[in-house]
Amino acid sequence: MTGINIEVIIYGVIFVAVLVLVEGVYLTVFGKSISLNSRVNRRLEMLEKGANREQVLEQLRKEMTQHLKSQSIPLYSILATKAQKANIAFSPPQIIMLMGGLAVMSYVMLTVGTSASTPIRIAVAIAMGIGGVYIWINNKAKKRLGMIEEQLPDAVELMVRSLRVGHPFSSAINIVAKEVPDPLASEMGVIADEAAYGRDMGESLKSLAERMDMQDLRFLAVAVTIQQQSGGNLAEILDGLSKVIRSRFKLFRRVKAITAEAKWSGMFLSGFPIVALVMINVIQPNYYDDVKDTSVFIPACLVVAAFLVANVFVMRTLVNIKV
């Protein structure tokens, strides 16, 4: 039992190493070019380096659509939507190669550090390669979407001020693309460039909203489309929209704060039995020797596992409040 416990720890260490390696490879390959904390957004940085507007637009559009176009690749469909929202700079083939390389590395580490059979090592290595990349991409997507949600109210208010001093909406979008930081700046920059080459502004905003799957962006796209078709004071419409977005964002933060205790309670109640089981095996490896050979031991374990899984889903449902 002690050997099994040590192997469980080794599995955890290897999986953490996989996550760290993914981030390390990504930063090594792309470095500052994919940083979301730079004062100069990526689009402007590419323009300052000498690329013309058409080349920058083509490069950014390629990055923004490459993942959704590769959903037909086996196994990649589970990552495509998340990778698109995160705007991962790796191409789909590179991500697949990365998953394969991590799986091979995990297999080697499992072979050296554990005594599991070959089929188990292969299965666990594949799961670590795919699961590690998925978790990394999912975290990147959440972080990027969260930043866009925070930036959007200020960006809409900047549009309102630009419209009120007499700028057309295309110029207001272009001002946002220059004044706000990434990730929203480059997205708005692409919309401004597409408008300059003749694409309808409402369609570009709708495409962005669908790609990000963000309700506030859908509101913006609908407001602009309706104004284009029916007329009206766009500045007043967007001013009201910015207030709605900011109010929804505040409400979301308030709900998140109110439900934080319940979420942590659910995580504790879900994780405590597992931690207790591991600690029992570490402190008293022979604790279950008297009952593990009985006929009801395995069914009882399955029932307990089912209740733990059900508890996780129930707790998530109770505290997952949509705003």
Short mmCIF file of all heavy atoms in Angstrom, two decimals, residues 15-75:
data_model
loop_
_atom_site.label_atom_id
_atom_site.label_comp_id
_atom_site.label_asym_id
_atom_site.label_seq_id
_atom_site.Cartn_x
_atom_site.Cartn_y
_atom_site.Cartn_z
N PHE A 15 2.04 15.27 -13.46
CA PHE A 15 0.99 16.09 -14.08
C PHE A 15 1.28 17.58 -13.88
O PHE A 15 1.10 18.38 -14.82
CB PHE A 15 -0.38 15.74 -13.50
CG PHE A 15 -1.52 16.39 -14.22
CD1 PHE A 15 -1.83 16.03 -15.52
CD2 PHE A 15 -2.28 17.37 -13.60
CE1 PHE A 15 -2.87 16.63 -16.20
CE2 PHE A 15 -3.33 17.98 -14.27
CZ PHE A 15 -3.63 17.60 -15.57
N VAL A 16 1.72 17.97 -12.70
CA VAL A 16 2.10 19.37 -12.46
C VAL A 16 3.27 19.76 -13.36
O VAL A 16 3.30 20.87 -13.92
CB VAL A 16 2.45 19.58 -10.98
CG1 VAL A 16 3.03 20.98 -10.76
CG2 VAL A 16 1.22 19.39 -10.09
N ALA A 17 4.22 18.84 -13.53
CA ALA A 17 5.36 19.11 -14.41
C ALA A 17 4.91 19.33 -15.84
O ALA A 17 5.45 20.18 -16.56
CB ALA A 17 6.36 17.96 -14.34
N VAL A 18 3.88 18.59 -16.27
CA VAL A 18 3.33 18.76 -17.62
C VAL A 18 2.76 20.16 -17.78
O VAL A 18 3.01 20.84 -18.79
CB VAL A 18 2.26 17.69 -17.89
CG1 VAL A 18 1.47 18.03 -19.15
CG2 VAL A 18 2.90 16.31 -18.05
N LEU A 19 1.99 20.63 -16.80
CA LEU A 19 1.39 21.97 -16.87
C LEU A 19 2.47 23.05 -16.92
O LEU A 19 2.37 24.00 -17.71
CB LEU A 19 0.46 22.19 -15.67
CG LEU A 19 -0.78 21.30 -15.58
CD1 LEU A 19 -1.53 21.59 -14.28
CD2 LEU A 19 -1.70 21.52 -16.77
N VAL A 20 3.48 22.90 -16.09
CA VAL A 20 4.57 23.89 -16.07
C VAL A 20 5.32 23.89 -17.39
O VAL A 20 5.69 24.95 -17.93
CB VAL A 20 5.52 23.61 -14.89
CG1 VAL A 20 6.74 24.52 -14.96
CG2 VAL A 20 4.80 23.79 -13.56
N LEU A 21 5.54 22.70 -17.95
CA LEU A 21 6.28 22.60 -19.21
C LEU A 21 5.52 23.24 -20.36
O LEU A 21 6.11 23.90 -21.22
CB LEU A 21 6.57 21.13 -19.51
CG LEU A 21 7.43 20.87 -20.76
CD1 LEU A 21 8.80 21.53 -20.60
CD2 LEU A 21 7.60 19.36 -20.98
N VAL A 22 4.19 23.07 -20.39
CA VAL A 22 3.38 23.68 -21.45
C VAL A 22 3.56 25.20 -21.43
O VAL A 22 3.81 25.83 -22.47
CB VAL A 22 1.89 23.32 -21.29
CG1 VAL A 22 1.06 24.08 -22.31
CG2 VAL A 22 1.69 21.83 -21.47
N GLU A 23 3.40 25.79 -20.25
CA GLU A 23 3.55 27.24 -20.13
C GLU A 23 4.96 27.68 -20.49
O GLU A 23 5.16 28.71 -21.15
CB GLU A 23 3.19 27.68 -18.71
CG GLU A 23 3.28 29.18 -18.47
CD GLU A 23 2.19 29.95 -19.16
OE1 GLU A 23 1.20 29.33 -19.63
OE2 GLU A 23 2.31 31.19 -19.26
N GLY A 24 5.96 26.90 -20.06
CA GLY A 24 7.35 27.24 -20.36
C GLY A 24 7.64 27.22 -21.85
O GLY A 24 8.30 28.12 -22.38
N VAL A 25 7.14 26.20 -22.55
CA VAL A 25 7.34 26.12 -24.00
C VAL A 25 6.67 27.29 -24.70
O VAL A 25 7.23 27.91 -25.61
CB VAL A 25 6.79 24.77 -24.53
CG1 VAL A 25 6.79 24.76 -26.06
CG2 VAL A 25 7.63 23.61 -24.02
N TYR A 26 5.45 27.62 -24.27
CA TYR A 26 4.70 28.71 -24.89
C TYR A 26 5.42 30.05 -24.74
O TYR A 26 5.55 30.82 -25.70
CB TYR A 26 3.31 28.78 -24.26
CG TYR A 26 2.31 29.62 -25.02
CD1 TYR A 26 1.95 29.31 -26.33
CD2 TYR A 26 1.70 30.73 -24.42
CE1 TYR A 26 1.03 30.07 -27.02
CE2 TYR A 26 0.77 31.49 -25.10
CZ TYR A 26 0.44 31.15 -26.40
OH TYR A 26 -0.49 31.90 -27.08
N LEU A 27 5.90 30.32 -23.54
CA LEU A 27 6.61 31.58 -23.30
C LEU A 27 7.95 31.60 -24.02
O LEU A 27 8.40 32.65 -24.47
CB LEU A 27 6.81 31.78 -21.79
CG LEU A 27 5.54 32.03 -20.97
CD1 LEU A 27 5.89 32.14 -19.48
CD2 LEU A 27 4.82 33.29 -21.43
N THR A 28 8.61 30.44 -24.12
CA THR A 28 9.89 30.38 -24.81
C THR A 28 9.74 30.66 -26.30
O THR A 28 10.55 31.38 -26.89
CB THR A 28 10.54 28.99 -24.60
OG1 THR A 28 10.74 28.76 -23.21
CG2 THR A 28 11.87 28.91 -25.33
N VAL A 29 8.69 30.11 -26.90
CA VAL A 29 8.49 30.27 -28.34
C VAL A 29 8.01 31.66 -28.70
O VAL A 29 8.50 32.29 -29.65
CB VAL A 29 7.49 29.21 -28.85
CG1 VAL A 29 7.16 29.45 -30.34
CG2 VAL A 29 8.06 27.81 -28.67
N PHE A 30 7.04 32.19 -27.93
CA PHE A 30 6.40 33.45 -28.31
C PHE A 30 6.81 34.63 -27.42
O PHE A 30 6.72 35.78 -27.84
CB PHE A 30 4.88 33.29 -28.31
CG PHE A 30 4.39 32.32 -29.33
CD1 PHE A 30 4.03 31.04 -28.97
CD2 PHE A 30 4.33 32.67 -30.67
CE1 PHE A 30 3.58 30.14 -29.91
CE2 PHE A 30 3.89 31.78 -31.62
CZ PHE A 30 3.52 30.50 -31.24
N GLY A 31 7.19 34.36 -26.18
CA GLY A 31 7.69 35.41 -25.31
C GLY A 31 6.74 36.58 -25.15
O GLY A 31 5.55 36.42 -24.93
N LYS A 32 7.27 37.80 -25.29
CA LYS A 32 6.49 39.01 -25.06
C LYS A 32 5.42 39.25 -26.13
O LYS A 32 4.51 40.04 -25.91
CB LYS A 32 7.42 40.23 -25.00
CG LYS A 32 8.35 40.23 -23.81
CD LYS A 32 9.20 41.49 -23.79
CE LYS A 32 10.12 41.52 -22.57
NZ LYS A 32 10.95 42.74 -22.54
N SER A 33 5.54 38.59 -27.28
CA SER A 33 4.58 38.85 -28.35
C SER A 33 3.17 38.42 -28.00
O SER A 33 2.21 38.90 -28.59
CB SER A 33 5.03 38.12 -29.64
OG SER A 33 4.97 36.71 -29.47
N ILE A 34 3.01 37.53 -27.01
CA ILE A 34 1.67 37.09 -26.63
C ILE A 34 1.30 37.59 -25.24
O ILE A 34 0.30 37.18 -24.67
CB ILE A 34 1.56 35.54 -26.69
CG1 ILE A 34 2.75 34.85 -26.01
CG2 ILE A 34 1.46 35.07 -28.11
CD1 ILE A 34 2.64 34.66 -24.54
N SER A 35 2.10 38.49 -24.68
CA SER A 35 1.81 39.01 -23.35
C SER A 35 0.59 39.92 -23.39
O SER A 35 0.43 40.74 -24.29
CB SER A 35 3.02 39.79 -22.82
OG SER A 35 2.70 40.40 -21.58
N LEU A 36 -0.29 39.77 -22.38
CA LEU A 36 -1.47 40.63 -22.28
C LEU A 36 -1.23 41.81 -21.35
O LEU A 36 -2.15 42.59 -21.11
CB LEU A 36 -2.66 39.80 -21.78
CG LEU A 36 -3.09 38.64 -22.68
CD1 LEU A 36 -4.26 37.91 -22.03
CD2 LEU A 36 -3.45 39.11 -24.07
N ASN A 37 -0.02 41.96 -20.85
CA ASN A 37 0.28 43.03 -19.90
C ASN A 37 1.10 44.16 -20.51
O ASN A 37 1.49 45.09 -19.82
CB ASN A 37 1.03 42.45 -18.69
CG ASN A 37 0.21 41.41 -17.96
OD1 ASN A 37 -0.99 41.57 -17.77
ND2 ASN A 37 0.86 40.33 -17.55
N SER A 38 1.38 44.06 -21.81
CA SER A 38 2.18 45.08 -22.46
C SER A 38 1.38 46.37 -22.65
O SER A 38 0.18 46.34 -22.93
CB SER A 38 2.68 44.57 -23.83
OG SER A 38 3.39 45.57 -24.51
N ARG A 39 2.05 47.50 -22.50
CA ARG A 39 1.37 48.78 -22.69
C ARG A 39 0.99 49.00 -24.16
O ARG A 39 0.01 49.67 -24.45
CB ARG A 39 2.27 49.92 -22.20
CG ARG A 39 2.51 49.92 -20.70
CD ARG A 39 3.34 51.11 -20.28
NE ARG A 39 3.53 51.14 -18.83
CZ ARG A 39 4.22 52.07 -18.19
NH1 ARG A 39 4.79 53.06 -18.87
NH2 ARG A 39 4.35 52.03 -16.87
N VAL A 40 1.81 48.50 -25.07
CA VAL A 40 1.53 48.60 -26.50
C VAL A 40 0.89 47.30 -26.94
O VAL A 40 1.46 46.23 -26.77
CB VAL A 40 2.82 48.87 -27.30
CG1 VAL A 40 2.50 48.97 -28.78
CG2 VAL A 40 3.49 50.14 -26.82
N ASN A 41 -0.32 47.38 -27.52
CA ASN A 41 -0.99 46.14 -27.92
C ASN A 41 -0.29 45.50 -29.10
O ASN A 41 0.49 46.14 -29.82
CB ASN A 41 -2.48 46.40 -28.19
CG ASN A 41 -2.72 47.28 -29.41
OD1 ASN A 41 -2.40 46.93 -30.52
ND2 ASN A 41 -3.31 48.45 -29.17
N ARG A 42 -0.58 44.24 -29.30
CA ARG A 42 0.18 43.44 -30.27
C ARG A 42 0.02 43.97 -31.69
O ARG A 42 0.97 43.99 -32.47
CB ARG A 42 -0.30 41.98 -30.19
CG ARG A 42 0.51 41.04 -31.07
CD ARG A 42 0.36 39.61 -30.63
NE ARG A 42 1.11 38.73 -31.51
CZ ARG A 42 0.57 37.99 -32.46
NH1 ARG A 42 -0.74 38.02 -32.65
NH2 ARG A 42 1.30 37.22 -33.23
N ARG A 43 -1.17 44.41 -32.04
CA ARG A 43 -1.40 44.93 -33.40
C ARG A 43 -0.53 46.14 -33.67
O ARG A 43 0.13 46.23 -34.72
CB ARG A 43 -2.87 45.26 -33.57
CG ARG A 43 -3.22 45.98 -34.87
CD ARG A 43 -4.71 46.18 -34.99
NE ARG A 43 -5.04 47.08 -36.07
CZ ARG A 43 -5.14 48.41 -35.94
NH1 ARG A 43 -4.93 48.97 -34.74
NH2 ARG A 43 -5.44 49.17 -36.98
N LEU A 44 -0.51 47.10 -32.74
CA LEU A 44 0.32 48.29 -32.94
C LEU A 44 1.79 47.94 -32.95
O LEU A 44 2.58 48.55 -33.69
CB LEU A 44 0.03 49.31 -31.83
CG LEU A 44 -1.37 49.94 -31.84
CD1 LEU A 44 -1.50 50.93 -30.69
CD2 LEU A 44 -1.67 50.61 -33.17
N GLU A 45 2.18 46.97 -32.14
CA GLU A 45 3.58 46.55 -32.11
C GLU A 45 4.01 45.97 -33.45
O GLU A 45 5.10 46.25 -33.94
CB GLU A 45 3.79 45.52 -31.00
CG GLU A 45 5.24 45.17 -30.76
CD GLU A 45 5.43 44.24 -29.58
OE1 GLU A 45 4.41 43.79 -29.01
OE2 GLU A 45 6.58 43.96 -29.22
N MET A 46 3.11 45.18 -34.07
CA MET A 46 3.41 44.62 -35.39
C MET A 46 3.51 45.73 -36.44
O MET A 46 4.37 45.69 -37.33
CB MET A 46 2.35 43.60 -35.78
CG MET A 46 2.35 42.36 -34.90
SD MET A 46 0.91 41.29 -35.18
CE MET A 46 1.25 40.70 -36.85
N LEU A 47 2.64 46.75 -36.33
CA LEU A 47 2.69 47.87 -37.28
C LEU A 47 3.97 48.68 -37.10
O LEU A 47 4.58 49.13 -38.08
CB LEU A 47 1.47 48.76 -37.09
CG LEU A 47 0.11 48.18 -37.54
CD1 LEU A 47 -1.02 49.09 -37.11
CD2 LEU A 47 0.08 47.97 -39.06
N GLU A 48 4.39 48.86 -35.85
CA GLU A 48 5.60 49.63 -35.58
C GLU A 48 6.86 48.92 -36.08
O GLU A 48 7.88 49.57 -36.36
CB GLU A 48 5.72 49.91 -34.08
CG GLU A 48 4.69 50.92 -33.57
CD GLU A 48 4.82 51.15 -32.08
OE1 GLU A 48 5.64 50.44 -31.45
OE2 GLU A 48 4.09 52.00 -31.54
N LYS A 49 6.78 47.59 -36.18
CA LYS A 49 7.95 46.83 -36.66
C LYS A 49 8.09 46.84 -38.18
O LYS A 49 9.01 46.23 -38.72
CB LYS A 49 7.86 45.39 -36.16
CG LYS A 49 8.11 45.25 -34.66
CD LYS A 49 8.05 43.79 -34.22
CE LYS A 49 8.34 43.67 -32.74
NZ LYS A 49 8.29 42.25 -32.27
N GLY A 50 7.15 47.51 -38.87
CA GLY A 50 7.30 47.66 -40.31
C GLY A 50 6.28 46.92 -41.16
O GLY A 50 6.25 47.11 -42.38
N ALA A 51 5.47 46.08 -40.55
CA ALA A 51 4.45 45.36 -41.33
C ALA A 51 3.35 46.33 -41.74
O ALA A 51 3.00 47.24 -40.99
CB ALA A 51 3.85 44.22 -40.50
N ASN A 52 2.84 46.16 -42.97
CA ASN A 52 1.77 47.04 -43.40
C ASN A 52 0.43 46.57 -42.84
O ASN A 52 0.32 45.47 -42.29
CB ASN A 52 1.71 47.16 -44.93
CG ASN A 52 1.45 45.81 -45.61
OD1 ASN A 52 0.53 45.09 -45.24
ND2 ASN A 52 2.28 45.48 -46.60
N ARG A 53 -0.58 47.41 -43.00
CA ARG A 53 -1.88 47.15 -42.37
C ARG A 53 -2.51 45.86 -42.88
O ARG A 53 -3.10 45.10 -42.11
CB ARG A 53 -2.81 48.34 -42.65
CG ARG A 53 -4.08 48.36 -41.82
CD ARG A 53 -4.84 49.63 -42.08
NE ARG A 53 -6.01 49.75 -41.22
CZ ARG A 53 -6.85 50.79 -41.26
NH1 ARG A 53 -6.63 51.78 -42.10
NH2 ARG A 53 -7.89 50.82 -40.44
N GLU A 54 -2.35 45.59 -44.17
CA GLU A 54 -2.95 44.38 -44.75
C GLU A 54 -2.29 43.12 -44.21
O GLU A 54 -2.96 42.13 -43.91
CB GLU A 54 -2.83 44.43 -46.27
CG GLU A 54 -3.54 43.28 -46.98
CD GLU A 54 -3.47 43.40 -48.49
OE1 GLU A 54 -2.91 44.40 -48.98
OE2 GLU A 54 -3.98 42.50 -49.18
N GLN A 55 -0.96 43.14 -44.07
CA GLN A 55 -0.25 41.98 -43.54
C GLN A 55 -0.64 41.72 -42.09
O GLN A 55 -0.83 40.56 -41.69
CB GLN A 55 1.26 42.20 -43.65
CG GLN A 55 1.80 42.21 -45.07
CD GLN A 55 3.27 42.58 -45.12
OE1 GLN A 55 3.77 43.31 -44.25
NE2 GLN A 55 3.98 42.10 -46.14
N VAL A 56 -0.75 42.78 -41.29
CA VAL A 56 -1.13 42.62 -39.88
C VAL A 56 -2.54 42.05 -39.77
O VAL A 56 -2.80 41.14 -38.98
CB VAL A 56 -1.02 43.96 -39.14
CG1 VAL A 56 -1.59 43.85 -37.73
CG2 VAL A 56 0.43 44.42 -39.09
N LEU A 57 -3.45 42.58 -40.59
CA LEU A 57 -4.83 42.09 -40.58
C LEU A 57 -4.88 40.62 -40.96
O LEU A 57 -5.58 39.82 -40.32
CB LEU A 57 -5.69 42.92 -41.54
CG LEU A 57 -7.14 42.46 -41.72
CD1 LEU A 57 -7.89 42.51 -40.39
CD2 LEU A 57 -7.84 43.31 -42.77
N GLU A 58 -4.14 40.24 -41.98
CA GLU A 58 -4.13 38.84 -42.42
C GLU A 58 -3.58 37.92 -41.34
O GLU A 58 -4.13 36.84 -41.08
CB GLU A 58 -3.30 38.71 -43.70
CG GLU A 58 -3.27 37.30 -44.28
CD GLU A 58 -2.44 37.23 -45.55
OE1 GLU A 58 -1.93 38.27 -46.00
OE2 GLU A 58 -2.30 36.12 -46.09
N GLN A 59 -2.51 38.35 -40.67
CA GLN A 59 -1.90 37.54 -39.62
C GLN A 59 -2.85 37.37 -38.44
O GLN A 59 -3.05 36.26 -37.92
CB GLN A 59 -0.59 38.17 -39.16
CG GLN A 59 0.08 37.48 -37.99
CD GLN A 59 0.55 36.07 -38.31
OE1 GLN A 59 0.81 35.75 -39.47
NE2 GLN A 59 0.67 35.23 -37.29
N LEU A 60 -3.45 38.48 -37.99
CA LEU A 60 -4.34 38.41 -36.83
C LEU A 60 -5.60 37.61 -37.14
O LEU A 60 -6.08 36.84 -36.30
CB LEU A 60 -4.70 39.82 -36.37
CG LEU A 60 -3.56 40.64 -35.77
CD1 LEU A 60 -4.03 42.05 -35.41
CD2 LEU A 60 -2.97 39.95 -34.55
N ARG A 61 -6.16 37.78 -38.33
CA ARG A 61 -7.36 37.01 -38.70
C ARG A 61 -7.04 35.52 -38.79
O ARG A 61 -7.87 34.68 -38.43
CB ARG A 61 -7.92 37.51 -40.03
CG ARG A 61 -8.56 38.88 -39.96
CD ARG A 61 -9.24 39.25 -41.25
NE ARG A 61 -10.41 38.41 -41.48
CZ ARG A 61 -11.19 38.51 -42.55
NH1 ARG A 61 -10.91 39.41 -43.49
NH2 ARG A 61 -12.23 37.72 -42.70
N LYS A 62 -5.86 35.20 -39.26
CA LYS A 62 -5.46 33.80 -39.33
C LYS A 62 -5.40 33.20 -37.94
O LYS A 62 -5.90 32.08 -37.69
CB LYS A 62 -4.10 33.67 -40.02
CG LYS A 62 -3.58 32.24 -40.09
CD LYS A 62 -2.20 32.20 -40.74
CE LYS A 62 -1.65 30.78 -40.75
NZ LYS A 62 -0.28 30.73 -41.34
N GLU A 63 -4.81 33.93 -36.99
CA GLU A 63 -4.71 33.43 -35.62
C GLU A 63 -6.08 33.32 -34.97
O GLU A 63 -6.33 32.42 -34.18
CB GLU A 63 -3.81 34.37 -34.80
CG GLU A 63 -2.36 34.36 -35.21
CD GLU A 63 -1.53 35.34 -34.42
OE1 GLU A 63 -2.10 35.99 -33.51
OE2 GLU A 63 -0.32 35.47 -34.69
N MET A 64 -6.98 34.26 -35.30
CA MET A 64 -8.28 34.30 -34.65
C MET A 64 -9.25 33.24 -35.17
O MET A 64 -10.29 32.99 -34.54
CB MET A 64 -8.91 35.69 -34.83
CG MET A 64 -8.20 36.79 -34.07
SD MET A 64 -8.87 38.42 -34.45
CE MET A 64 -7.86 39.46 -33.39
N THR A 65 -8.95 32.65 -36.32
CA THR A 65 -9.88 31.66 -36.90
C THR A 65 -9.27 30.28 -37.10
O THR A 65 -9.99 29.34 -37.45
CB THR A 65 -10.40 32.17 -38.27
OG1 THR A 65 -9.28 32.38 -39.16
CG2 THR A 65 -11.15 33.47 -38.11
N GLN A 66 -7.97 30.13 -36.86
CA GLN A 66 -7.30 28.88 -37.21
C GLN A 66 -7.82 27.69 -36.41
O GLN A 66 -7.90 26.57 -36.93
CB GLN A 66 -5.79 29.02 -37.02
CG GLN A 66 -5.36 29.30 -35.59
CD GLN A 66 -3.86 29.42 -35.45
OE1 GLN A 66 -3.11 29.01 -36.33
NE2 GLN A 66 -3.40 29.98 -34.33
N HIS A 67 -8.20 27.91 -35.18
CA HIS A 67 -8.61 26.79 -34.34
C HIS A 67 -10.01 26.28 -34.70
O HIS A 67 -10.24 25.07 -34.76
CB HIS A 67 -8.55 27.18 -32.87
CG HIS A 67 -7.17 27.58 -32.42
ND1 HIS A 67 -6.15 26.67 -32.26
CD2 HIS A 67 -6.64 28.79 -32.12
CE1 HIS A 67 -5.05 27.30 -31.88
NE2 HIS A 67 -5.33 28.59 -31.78
N LEU A 68 -10.93 27.20 -34.94
CA LEU A 68 -12.29 26.77 -35.30
C LEU A 68 -12.31 26.07 -36.65
O LEU A 68 -13.15 25.20 -36.89
CB LEU A 68 -13.23 27.98 -35.33
CG LEU A 68 -13.55 28.61 -33.97
CD1 LEU A 68 -14.50 29.78 -34.14
CD2 LEU A 68 -14.14 27.59 -33.01
N LYS A 69 -11.39 26.43 -37.54
CA LYS A 69 -11.33 25.78 -38.85
C LYS A 69 -10.77 24.36 -38.77
O LYS A 69 -10.85 23.61 -39.74
CB LYS A 69 -10.46 26.61 -39.80
CG LYS A 69 -11.09 27.93 -40.21
CD LYS A 69 -10.19 28.69 -41.17
CE LYS A 69 -10.84 30.00 -41.61
NZ LYS A 69 -9.97 30.77 -42.52
N SER A 70 -10.20 24.01 -37.62
CA SER A 70 -9.56 22.69 -37.47
C SER A 70 -10.35 21.76 -36.55
O SER A 70 -9.79 20.81 -36.01
CB SER A 70 -8.14 22.87 -36.93
OG SER A 70 -7.37 23.71 -37.75
N GLN A 71 -11.65 22.05 -36.37
CA GLN A 71 -12.46 21.23 -35.48
C GLN A 71 -12.65 19.81 -36.00
O GLN A 71 -12.99 18.91 -35.23
CB GLN A 71 -13.83 21.88 -35.27
CG GLN A 71 -13.79 23.08 -34.34
CD GLN A 71 -15.17 23.65 -34.10
OE1 GLN A 71 -15.95 23.84 -35.02
NE2 GLN A 71 -15.48 23.93 -32.85
N SER A 72 -12.43 19.60 -37.30
CA SER A 72 -12.62 18.26 -37.86
C SER A 72 -11.47 17.31 -37.53
O SER A 72 -11.58 16.10 -37.73
CB SER A 72 -12.78 18.35 -39.38
OG SER A 72 -11.64 18.96 -39.97
N ILE A 73 -10.36 17.85 -37.01
CA ILE A 73 -9.22 17.01 -36.65
C ILE A 73 -9.60 16.14 -35.45
O ILE A 73 -10.11 16.66 -34.45
CB ILE A 73 -7.99 17.86 -36.32
CG1 ILE A 73 -7.59 18.70 -37.53
CG2 ILE A 73 -6.82 16.99 -35.88
CD1 ILE A 73 -6.43 19.65 -37.27
N PRO A 74 -9.37 14.83 -35.51
CA PRO A 74 -9.71 13.96 -34.37
C PRO A 74 -9.04 14.42 -33.08
O PRO A 74 -7.88 14.84 -33.08
CB PRO A 74 -9.17 12.58 -34.81
CG PRO A 74 -9.15 12.65 -36.30
CD PRO A 74 -8.83 14.07 -36.64
N LEU A 75 -9.81 14.38 -31.99
CA LEU A 75 -9.38 14.77 -30.64
C LEU A 75 -9.22 16.28 -30.47
O LEU A 75 -9.30 16.78 -29.36
CB LEU A 75 -8.06 14.09 -30.25
CG LEU A 75 -8.10 12.57 -30.06
CD1 LEU A 75 -6.70 12.07 -29.71
CD2 LEU A 75 -9.09 12.17 -28.98
#
